[in-house]
Amino acid sequence: MQFYDLPDARGHFGTYGGIFVAETLMQALEELKLAYEHYRFDPEFQAEFTSDLKHYVGRASPVYYAKRWSEHLGGARIYLKREDLNHTGAHKINNTIGQALLAKRMGKKRVIAETGAGQHGVATATVAARLGMECVVYMGSEDVKRQSPNVFRMKMLGATVVPVESGSKTLKDALNEAMRDWVTNVDSTFYIIGTVAGPHPYPMMVRDFQSVIGHEAMTQMPELTGRQPDAIIACVGGGSNAMGIFYPYLGAKEVRLIGVEAAGLGLATGKHAAPLNAGTPGVLHGNRTYLMQDENGQIIETHSISAGLDYPGVGPEHAWLKDSGRAEYVAVTDQEALEAFHNLCRFEGIIPALESSHALAYAAQIAPSMDRDQILLVNLSGRGDKDINTVASLSGITL
Amino acid sequence: MSRIETTFQQLKRQGKKALIPFFTAGDPSPELTVPMMHALVAAGADIIELGVPFSDPMADGPTIQRSSERALAHKVGLKDILGMVKQFRQDNAATPVVLMGYANPIEAMGYEKFASQAQAAGVDGVLTVDYPPEECGEFLACLAQHALDPIFLLSPTSVDARVAVVAKAARGFVYYVSLKGVTGAANLDLSAVKTRLLKLRKQISLPIGVGFGIRDGAMAKAMAEFSDAVVVGSRIVQEIESAPADQVVARVGVLVKSFRSAMDS
């Protein structure tokens, strides 16, 4: 069924991916790769993972027909894959459960994570609490400010949240700091990366754990609509929710796969977070991929209303899917995402995450020009409760 | 014979070990980089490790992170740094210069362009923290073509199989990271380093330098007893950070002299 068998043994997706880290981490990544290669096909591991996804996360997540919103837009019917209904409110938990089960089997007692919007941090703190592991989450101090409900959530779950003051004080700097922690505590610590980026085997491993989203959709869509959708739309920061829903569909060539990046204030302004649309290939955070960088190869500051998309790189498999043409990558602005956010609230009674609102916004752009019998499936990757402060302050309201 | 090889052979004849100070090019300001390099040589440096600043220095502690930020505030890029080395070479033909940094600035310039311009500028070696040998075959070929030595790191976590990979790819010298951690960390275990270095000698014929966490002359002297070179970075950068701009070159000179005399005593 798969349309290709990537990555290769050292984590390459064409020229992208790979292992670009300091020597101290090479052996740890080798051990992780061997452990994952073993448990990936271990029936007992898979059974525990599947059982946790069902009983703890609440999977399968439903697919929901957004009838009133679709009719308002006129044109294609829009379906939503409801990852927002998962325990902890986003798709991130699928991956943290997988990696934490692996950490447990590798005998690691301490887990660390980076987080942007805080969803991955919360999902990591959640599984660490459940498995009785020590948990430290690195978060840019800018993000600590704009995502304060999630910071408090992590603390309640027993995690230590470390605000990162270096660089742009956002997700990329949190990742740098988590890497520094890992280099220092490599024997005791498992680094739970939250997206399909980083050095091999992370992009592959996170994709595999998240691909439950696409596998469910493949069964659910024919049940609901009699067929697969015409297009699948997902937001892309690092790209884990998109990779999770795209991956099982890679071989289904009749289904368009559309990743939506954050155009921020507009691609022309330079204030955005859209490396696939406006970046160039380079090496950052352990892999080769598209990056937002200047002519000297320095990473430039990104901007997005959504903390979870505010990242200058992107998973290497997306870089490869872009170059190969199998997936398309577009971008929508802060303003367009906000409009979709409000519309989903008003028409469907669903408060979407600002990240997912980018995918919704693109669906709203293309649906009107499509026929009523055409179907769009949007990955509603998370709920928007964490974003109410951001949205309120944009409307001049202090909560 | 390369400048790095010549340097190590001369030191061996003199019964001395190499002192390799590190600082970031452009810190505290681009105008001071070349004078600083000459001051380091005058203070007894055998090889200069010149940091290429990067926006996301994942393997560095807070001290070197801040030095990168200061250099980047002056918009110092790889091309400017090659110009600085060229200027240094007008008055110094003997002291090897090793560039130390991260992959992306080199990726952005392009391998061939970087290697040819670095050779023309008088660079001798290149240490790229996040290019393990497995990922940089094409880059290594470019360096070899332009007589530049690839310097690689080894660490306490490197197993024998990895040491073999590095031993095969490395030229000039090998840099042993003395601890599990970032630059400037404070958890150095001298006897563990010694044991490991004796073991590494069986697999590596190149000179072996030791760095990370070496904070004073006494520590440098202890390290020099069983290594071929001592790298001092964060401690020098701290001096740059704390000294007033008009005294910074002199203060760094005094500091490096203290390391030199401790190692030679």
Side-chain angles (χ1 to χ4, degrees):
Chain A
M1 184 179 67
Q2 294 309 340
F3 138 82
Y4 66 68
D5 191 20
L6 292 179
D8 70 12
R10 293 216 318 271
H12 298 106
F13 302 89
T15 57
Y16 302 108
I19 304 178
F20 293 87
V21 296
E23 175 61 29
T24 311
L25 292 178
M26 290 299 288
Q27 185 56 24
L29 287 165
E30 180 66 20
E31 284 165 18
L32 177 61
K33 188 183 87 174
L34 292 175
Y36 181 61
E37 279 169 0
H38 174 73
Y39 289 113
R40 187 182 186 190
F41 300 111
D42 175 49
E44 205 182 304
F45 179 88
Q46 288 301 332
E48 188 176 352
F49 179 53
T50 306
S51 166
D52 279 357
L53 289 182
K54 181 178 176 189
H55 299 288
Y56 190 65
V57 178
R59 303 203 71 94
S61 72
V63 170
Y64 165 74
Y65 174 34
K67 185 160 182 284
R68 215 164 84 80
W69 190 45
S70 300
E71 284 170 358
H72 165 76
L73 291 166
R77 285 176 285 158
I78 302 174
Y79 286 76
L80 308 176
K81 178 65 174 161
R82 298 291 308 275
E83 291 297 301
D84 61 316
L85 293 177
N86 291 339
H87 178 44
T88 73
H91 71 291
K92 292 291 186 188
I93 189 110
N94 303 327
N95 167 51
T96 59
I97 286 185
Q99 289 197 48
L101 292 180
L102 197 55
K104 192 174 81 174
R105 280 166 173 76
M106 291 175 74
K108 308 283 183 182
K109 304 257 185 282
R110 179 176 182 266
V111 295
I112 57 171
E114 83 295 338
T115 197
Q119 292 302 98
H120 174 58
V122 167
T124 303
T126 299
V127 297
R130 180 166 171 254
L131 296 176
M133 290 169 165
E134 183 191 347
C135 177
V136 177
V137 179
Y138 292 92
M139 189 170 188
S141 60
E142 276 299 313
D143 292 337
V144 167
K145 263 184 261 167
R146 56 181 168 174
Q147 303 286 344
S148 55
N150 270 344
V151 175
F152 190 60
R153 224 168 259 146
M154 285 183 266
K155 288 180 179 169
M156 283 193 299
L157 292 161
T160 304
V161 179
V162 181
V164 177
E165 300 288 350
S166 58
S168 60
K169 304 175 175 55
T170 60
L171 180 54
K172 82 173 175 78
D173 310 286
L175 221 150
N176 292 335
E177 209 53 40
M179 284 279 184
R180 292 178 188 123
D181 179 315
W182 199 28
V183 164
T184 308
N185 303 295
V186 60
D187 298 326
S188 68
T189 298
F190 189 105
Y191 181 13
I192 300 187
I193 292 185
T195 192
V196 286
H200 181 64
Y202 284 101
M204 170 178 80
M205 182 168 71
V206 177
R207 172 200 73 193
D208 292 350
F209 289 140
Q210 291 293 2
S211 64
V212 64
I213 305 172
H215 284 298
E216 285 174 4
M218 277 201 122
T219 310
Q220 291 165 321
M221 288 310 289
E223 283 171 5
L224 269 173
T225 69
R227 65 185 181 89
Q228 297 299 347
D230 295 283
I232 295 177
I233 305 175
C235 65
V236 177
S240 70
N241 89 81
M243 220 43 250
I245 198 165
F246 288 177
Y247 185 61
Y249 279 96
L250 289 178
K253 300 244 168 97
E254 68 287 0
V255 180
R256 281 173 70 193
L257 303 175
I258 305 171
V260 186
E261 295 193 304
L265 302 180
L267 291 183
T269 67
K271 293 190 185 312
H272 59 82
L276 290 169
N277 280 275
T280 50
V283 170
L284 178 71
H285 293 153
N287 64 105
R288 184 178 280 120
T289 187
Y290 279 86
L291 300 173
M292 305 259 302
Q293 56 180 322
D294 68 12
E295 70 283 1
N296 286 324
Q298 306 297 342
I299 306 307
I300 53 182
E301 283 194 23
T302 51
H303 166 83
S304 171
I305 191 176
S306 136
L309 302 184
D310 208 348
Y311 180 65
V314 62
E317 194 163 7
H318 286 296
W320 193 85
L321 288 174
K322 173 194 156 75
D323 285 9
S324 72
R326 176 61 190 97
E328 312 155 47
Y329 294 90
V330 298
V332 309
T333 63
D334 288 352
Q335 207 48 49
E336 291 162 332
L338 261 177
E339 193 184 321
F341 173 94
H342 287 299
N343 280 333
L344 203 73
C345 291
R346 295 296 180 85
F347 283 100
E348 299 294 343
I350 296 170
I351 304 176
L354 283 174
E355 290 77 15
S356 325
S357 298
H358 287 71
L360 294 167
Y362 192 70
Q365 267 181 39
I366 63 171
S369 61
M370 297 170 76
D371 293 335
R372 278 192 69 83
D373 59 355
Q374 290 188 291
I375 296 170
L376 296 176
L377 175 62
V378 176
N379 197 13
L380 187 59
S381 55
R383 67 177 183 227
D385 305 52
K386 68 182 175 59
D387 295 313
I388 55 174
N389 287 325
T390 305
V391 175
S393 73
L394 285 169
S395 322
I397 300 163
T398 313
L399 296 180
Chain B
M1 201 188 299
S2 78
R3 263 191 289 256
I4 294 177
E5 209 179 337
T6 308
T7 299
F8 276 106
Q9 285 194 359
Q10 278 173 357
L11 286 167
K12 198 168 186 182
R13 277 198 299 272
Q14 298 163 5
K16 287 168 69 176
K17 300 300 173 67
L19 172 59
I20 310 182
F22 164 97
F23 76 104
T24 305
D27 176 31
S29 68
E31 305 77 53
L32 288 179
T33 298
V34 175
M36 188 86 80
M37 292 170 80
H38 288 303
L40 292 174
V41 175
D46 301 297
I47 296 173
I48 294 174
E49 209 172 270
L50 194 58
V52 177
F54 182 48
S55 52
D56 293 81
M58 284 189 326
D60 285 299
T63 304
I64 293 179
Q65 286 173 45
R66 284 194 301 270
S67 86
S68 268
E69 285 176 15
R70 284 192 297 271
L72 290 176
H74 295 291
K75 307 232 177 292
V76 172
L78 196 43
K79 219 162 75 188
D80 307 309
I81 294 167
L82 295 178
M84 294 170 187
V85 176
K86 198 169 196 170
Q87 203 189 328
F88 171 75
R89 280 276 170 257
Q90 290 172 359
D91 303 304
N92 182 320
T95 309
V97 174
V98 172
L99 297 185
M100 180 171 184
Y102 293 81
N104 204 50
I106 294 172
E107 296 256 319
M109 185 179 260
Y111 298 156
E112 173 56 33
K113 190 174 164 195
F114 166 74
S116 62
Q117 295 190 6
Q119 181 185 28
V123 171
D124 300 284
V126 182
L127 196 173
T128 314
V129 176
D130 50 353
Y131 268 156
E134 295 92 331
E135 290 287 2
C136 63
E138 200 187 319
F139 180 58
L140 290 181
C142 276
L143 292 185
Q145 221 162 31
H146 293 282
L148 295 164
D149 287 334
I151 315 293
F152 284 101
L153 301 171
L154 281 173
S155 88
T157 60
S158 306
V159 295
D160 287 355
R162 285 213 51 76
V163 176
V165 170
V166 167
K168 207 171 146 206
R171 300 284 180 276
F173 65 96
V174 167
Y175 183 149
Y176 181 68
V177 175
S178 57
L179 48 80
K180 292 173 195 162
V182 292
T183 52
N187 53 337
L188 193 55
D189 176 349
L190 200 68
S191 71
V193 176
K194 185 177 179 180
T195 311
R196 188 64 206 270
L197 241 65
L198 292 174
K199 207 170 154 233
L200 285 179
R201 297 274 190 207
K202 291 179 192 147
Q203 278 182 276
I204 291 172
S205 52
L206 291 173
I208 304 179
V210 178
F212 278 42
I214 297 174
R215 311 203 54 77
D216 54 35
M219 225 171 194
K221 181 181 164 60
M223 286 292 179
E225 270 162 28
F226 46 80
S227 68
D228 303 301
V230 175
V231 186
V232 183
S234 293
R235 179 64 191 88
I236 290 172
V237 171
Q238 252 174 19
E239 200 68 14
I240 292 174
E241 194 163 47
S242 61
D246 58 337
Q247 294 169 28
V248 65
V249 174
R251 286 261 297 264
V252 167
V254 170
L255 177 71
V256 171
K257 232 176 239 164
S258 74
F259 277 92
R260 178 81 266 171
S261 43
M263 282 169 64
D264 293 348
S265 67

